């Protein structure tokens, strides 16, 4: 893997940039190695193949530098965090964060990166996306119940206690109303979730296939490509994925960017794996609704009253809404901050409407 001819001799800034690329590639390879150590079978092989590819990229920058510099910069905080999490958790959260990291390749505008490296980065994104999609499918049933349960508990009980508190009733009555709302909502959520999961057969939008990797196949080295890993990550058998990758790469290198092989038939997995257990979803919905609904009531449980109790409840619920929104963003591959702020705006908007109704009509409205 050699660098393209540059217009001028490399500057000290170029060499510092190469060193930064070197440590980032090394850190990414370590993440995939740590994830592979916690996996078995095909997923382990795919992750080890990704680690090998990162080592090839690392060697490219070492060759340009001539030797490893005496002093190397530290990897970015995202890479260090991923490495720490991969060694301790190895969960879907790590793959989701790695997917976001692979989506931002610096090599598209880097003159010293080879076309094969740029293509590799696009392929790596697709491979990690495929692996993350597997985890999302396994997680989707219980995760959906968790998000709905906790968020509904937070918003509905916050609206309840604020609406009733706005009428000027005693703190004891607000506390009783909050506990009653917790139990009623948790039972309703558990029963509703049990019924809904029995008929639920939805697929995650994040599992939809993307053919960017195939479009980049013309720049891949046929002896070192990972295109087959994309199809293996999507659920295809090894021989079929190798055959498809061979056809696409051959056609792309001949100047045909779209192989006439038709769309990929992605293996979506078993419906029961996607949706999850009805009893598990029902029980988790009950518990998660209750855990969310107890948060707005905590100030009154600990004896606060009036405006102080309302302010503390808003702060506690705001933190919880931001946390659940950010978690959804991470798992879905979207921007965590945007999802967190959206969750906060929706929750506080509902609570504000109920509080105003309580002030105007002198009754608790939910």
């Amino acid at each position: 893997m050699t660098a393209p001819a540059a217009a001028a001799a490399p500057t000290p800034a170029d060499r510092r940039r190469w060193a930064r690329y070197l440590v980032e590639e090394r850190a990414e390879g370590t993440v995939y190695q740590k994830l592979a150590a916690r996996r078995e079978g095909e997923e382990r092989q795919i992750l080890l193949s990704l680690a090998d590819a990162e080592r090839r990229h690392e060697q490219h920058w070492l060759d340009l530098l001539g030797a490893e510099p005496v002093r190397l910069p530290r990897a970015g905080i995202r890479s260090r965090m991923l490495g720490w999490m991969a060694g301790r958790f190895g969960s879907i959260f790590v793959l989701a964060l790695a997917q976001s990291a692979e989506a931002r390749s610096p090599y598209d505008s880097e003159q010293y990166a080879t076309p094969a490296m740029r293509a590799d980065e696009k392929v790596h994104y697709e491979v990690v996306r495929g692996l993350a999609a597997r985890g999302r499918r396994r997680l989707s049933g219980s995760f959906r119940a968790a998000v709905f349960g906790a968020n509904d508990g937070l918003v509905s009980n916050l609206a309840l206690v604020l609406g009733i508190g706005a009428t000027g009733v005693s703190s004891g009555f607000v506390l009783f109303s909050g506990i009653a709302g917790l139990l009623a909502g948790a039972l309703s959520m558990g029963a509703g979730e049990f019924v809904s999961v029995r008929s639920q057969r939805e697929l995650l939008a994040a599992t939809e296939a993307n053919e960017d990797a195939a479009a980049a196949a013309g720049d891949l080295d046929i002896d070192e490509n990972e295109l087959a890993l994309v199809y293996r990550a999507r659920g295809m058998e090894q021989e079929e994925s190798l055959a498809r990758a061979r056809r696409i790469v051959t056609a792309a290198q001949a100047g045909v960017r779209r192989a006439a092989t038709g769309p990929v038939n992605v293996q979506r997995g078993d419906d029961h794996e996607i949706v999850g257990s009805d009893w598990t979803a029902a029980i988790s919905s009950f518990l998660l609704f209750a855990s969310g609904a107890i948060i707005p009531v905590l100030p009154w449980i600990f004896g606060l009253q009036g405006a102080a109790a309302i302010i503390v409840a808003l702060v506690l619920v705001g933190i919880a809404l931001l946390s659940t929104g950010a978690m959804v963003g991470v798992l879905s591959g979207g921007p965590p901050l945007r999802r967190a702020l959206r969750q906060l705006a929706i929750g506080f908007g509902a609570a504000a409407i109920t509080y105003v109704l309580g002030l105007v009509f002198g009754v608790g409205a939910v």
Side-chain angles (χ1 to χ4, degrees), residues 165 168-172 174 298-312:
V169 299
S170 66
S171 59
V174 176
L298 287 176
W300 284 272
I301 290 178
F302 287 99
L304 295 180
Q305 301 179 17
I310 291 175
I311 293 173
V312 172

Side-chain angles (χ1 to χ4, degrees), residues 20-38 43-59 61 75 78-80 82-84 86-87 94-95 98 101-102 107 121 124 128:
R20 191 165 61 251
Y21 291 148
L22 169 64
V23 296
E24 289 295 334
E25 294 287 2
R26 186 171 290 170
E28 289 176 11
T30 301
V31 168
Y32 293 133
Q33 285 182 313
K34 289 181 177 180
L35 288 174
R38 305 178 72 90
E43 287 192 11
R44 175 183 173 86
Q45 296 175 15
I46 292 172
L47 289 164
L48 289 175
S49 296
L50 288 175
D52 289 339
E54 301 296 353
R55 279 193 290 270
R56 290 199 302 272
H57 295 181
E58 176 188 340
Q59 188 60 48
W61 302 116
R78 177 187 289 267
S79 298
R80 298 200 303 274
L82 280 176
W84 182 85
V94 181
L95 283 172
E102 290 287 2
Y107 295 159
E121 291 298 312
H124 292 177
V128 175

